[in-house]
Structure formats: structure tokens, C-alpha cells
Amino acid sequence: MRHVSLTITANKQVIPSIYEMRLEGDVKGIERPGQFVNVAINGLFLRRPFSISDYDAEGLTLLYKTVGVGSRKMAAMGGGEKLDILNGLGNGFSSETEYSRMFLAGGGIGIAPLYKLAKELKVKDKIVSVALCFNTANEVFYAERFRDLGVEVYVATVDGSIGCKGYVTNLIDERGIEFDYFYACGPMPMIKSICQSVDKPGEVSLEARMGCGFGICMGCSIPIKSGYARICKEGPVFRKEDLVW
């Protein structure tokens, strides 16, 4: 964990309620896709956790949804403003695996950490397919960004207004997607469904409300097969086989 001040260089709306913020500065604490940052926002007591969608030597990119006071305040920020951040938090995805066919599934804003992961897997010459899952067509975002990486992109919507109708498990069956290993991030019902119905190994990123964000308050603890784990510290990424449903 590193305590840093990063400068906003861009903050734009991707679709209504979804924003993309580019921050530049010291990001040495970030080592894996799937890690997150905890952002201090003026006037609010608790920091807000946000997934890192991309990063490089100069900075990082956050994809976030405006759902409350904190995220709405972030959406109103402009270039040149600075954010007080705890970065490099959490346990991220591992791209070091012997498997060759990788399947990534993201639900809504859970898509965010999968973008950098897809980049890394492509660099390692993996065959990558990505499922982007939404409630309806006007919520779809980042599909073209993933296609630009050279990965196979599938879209599913609950109402069937675009792509496959239903959920990610429906999409897997309907399109006959074949893979050796999977990664997933999104709402808990989606994660549970994938883990229980897909007979393949994988890693999932869990969402949770957090207090401290670095393992002190224990507020995001969950039972796992070996005992208990903190989503902010031992997670947010866990191996499928370690979780209890």
C-alpha cells in the first residue's frame, strides 16, 4: 500500500452514469490487474474504493459508476485537480497460468479490472474471449475498447435488447464458448452462478462495502474454506475453489 497524491488529467463520461478518469503520478504500488485504490473525497469521512481498469508507468485509469455522493463528487472533478489516494490495495488477478484459452466475464461496472487483465493475457499470447453483461442495451460500454485489443467479445443483456438474452451462463451455453480458465468480476449473484455452473478453474473478484480498505477494520470479512478472509486484503480476487457458497 502506498499513500500518494495523483493528478487528474482527464475525467470523461463514457455513457450516462459511467465515467473514466485518468490520473498521473506515482503508481509503483500497483502490480496486478484487479487491485484497487481508496480515494479520499472532501467532506466525506470514509474513503471510496475504485477498481483500476488500466495502468502504466505514468499513471492509472479508473472506471466508475455514479451511484452515491462520493462518486458524484468525483464525476464533477476536472483536469489539474489532485486526489489523495491509497494505491496498490488488494490481491489482484494472476495472469501466470499454463492454460491457453482464457474467458473473462464482467457484469456492469465489474468490467473495469478485466480491461488491463485482457491486455496482459494478450501480451502472453493467450486466446482470450470476453463476455460483457448488462441489464439492457443502453448500458453497454467498453465493447469496442476490448475488441481493439484483439479479443473475442460477446455481449449479453438481461432483457435481450442486444446480444444474448440472459446472463453470462446463458451466453456460454448459447455461443458454445470453449475455455480452460476463467476470470470474473461483477455482482455476487453473477459470480455465484459462474462458480457453481462452470466446471473449470478460475479466479473471481468480489465486491463489498469497505471501511478502511486495507485489512484493519475487518468489515468486509467473508467465510472461505480455510476460515475467514478480508475482501480488501486477501481479496478482492479469490480462486474459485477457495470460496464457500
Side-chain angles (χ1 to χ4, degrees):
M1 178 183 72
R2 294 172 64 87
H3 186 185
V4 297
S5 177
L6 300 183
T7 302
I8 300 172
T9 57
N11 189 26
K12 63 182 181 180
Q13 189 178 60
V14 178
I15 61 170
S17 83
I18 301 292
Y19 285 76
E20 180 185 79
M21 177 182 283
R22 172 69 181 181
L23 296 153
E24 296 192 351
D26 180 1
V27 293
K28 292 177 184 175
I30 303 169
E31 300 175 345
R32 284 185 173 189
Q35 290 183 283
F36 66 97
V37 297
N38 229 6
V39 180
I41 299 174
N42 289 337
L44 301 179
F45 177 68
L46 291 177
R47 292 174 179 266
R48 267 43 176 186
F50 294 98
S51 292
I52 300 165
S53 67
D54 201 3
Y55 61 89
D56 53 37
E58 285 73 45
L60 58 86
T61 301
L62 304 179
L63 266 178
Y64 63 98
K65 184 175 182 178
T66 52
V67 295
V69 175
S71 52
R72 288 197 295 269
K73 284 192 172 188
M74 279 185 57
M77 295 177 183
E81 293 189 56
K82 293 186 178 293
L83 283 179
D84 181 290
I85 284 178
L86 300 180
N87 81 355
L89 298 174
N91 172 51
F93 293 110
S94 172
S95 58
E96 298 294 334
T97 170
E98 73 272 23
Y99 299 105
S100 59
R101 297 179 302 174
M102 322 303 282
F103 178 64
L104 284 58
I109 197 60
I111 289 165
L114 301 181
Y115 183 71
K116 178 64 174 180
L117 176 62
K119 273 187 170 182
E120 289 206 353
L121 292 172
K122 287 297 292 182
V123 168
K124 297 177 186 296
D125 293 324
K126 304 293 186 181
I127 301 168
V128 182
S129 56
V130 178
L132 308 179
C133 307
F134 308 91
N135 289 317
T136 188
N138 62 14
E139 296 180 2
V140 176
F141 68 95
Y142 254 51
E144 289 305 317
R145 293 285 293 273
F146 276 98
R147 289 190 181 101
D148 289 343
L149 298 179
V151 305
E152 186 75 24
V153 176
Y154 302 90
V155 174
T157 49
V158 175
D159 65 1
S161 51
I162 190 172
C164 172
K165 182 177 182 179
Y167 303 95
V168 63
T169 48
N170 301 116
L171 189 153
I172 293 171
D173 292 338
E174 181 180 300
R175 301 299 172 88
I177 302 172
E178 296 184 352
F179 54 93
D180 307 311
Y181 197 85
F182 75 89
Y183 303 88
C185 181
M188 194 65 80
M190 172 190 140
I191 298 298
K192 181 178 180 179
S193 176
I194 294 173
C195 288
Q196 291 184 329
S197 63
V198 172
D199 186 24
K200 300 287 183 180
E203 300 171 26
V204 298
S205 179
L206 304 184
E207 298 177 345
R209 291 186 177 275
M210 297 178 184
C212 67
F214 49 89
I216 300 299
C217 74
M218 311 297 287
C220 61
S221 297
I222 60 167
I224 61 173
K225 290 182 179 177
S226 61
Y228 281 85
R230 298 156 293 184
I231 289 179
C232 70
K233 186 70 173 180
E234 287 76 38
V237 176
F238 295 90
R239 295 185 306 165
K240 167 193 164 181
E241 57 265 33
D242 292 335
L243 296 175
V244 176
W245 299 110

